[in-house]
Amino acid sequence: MFLPKYPDSPTPPPAHTHAPAEPAPVRRPLPSLSIDNKTIATVIVGGVVLTALLAAVAVTAISVAVAAVVLRSLLREQHRR
């Protein structure tokens, strides 16, 4: 009942093939980039320092949040008395 109907013969390939109107632009080679061991070491050290700073900020934020919760609970206990 719901079977697909296939064409009797496949469609023939188009007779006209599309040719680009303009030739492709000439690609200029990129300037050579020299990478030595000092550059690699600098990038790695910079990544380690940035990761350590991010971790320090995260630990500080967590400790401030915990201190705020503790102070809030202490102040709430003091108001109940």
Side-chain angles (χ1 to χ4, degrees):
M1 181 173 167
F2 293 108
L3 295 176
K5 294 182 180 180
Y6 296 108
D8 293 335
S9 63
T11 57
H16 173 69
T17 57
H18 178 68
E22 298 178 9
V26 177
R27 299 179 89 185
R28 296 182 185 148
L30 295 175
S32 63
L33 182 65
S34 62
I35 298 177
D36 56 349
N37 289 340
K38 290 181 182 179
T39 306
I40 295 172
T42 304
V43 169
I44 290 175
V45 168
V48 168
V49 168
L50 289 176
T51 304
L53 287 173
L54 182 63
V57 168
V59 168
T60 303
I62 291 171
S63 64
V64 167
V66 168
V69 169
V70 169
L71 285 174
R72 184 177 174 187
S73 120
L74 288 174
L75 289 176
R76 185 180 297 161
E77 288 286 326
Q78 201 173 34
H79 285 298
R80 288 184 183 173
R81 291 181 184 181

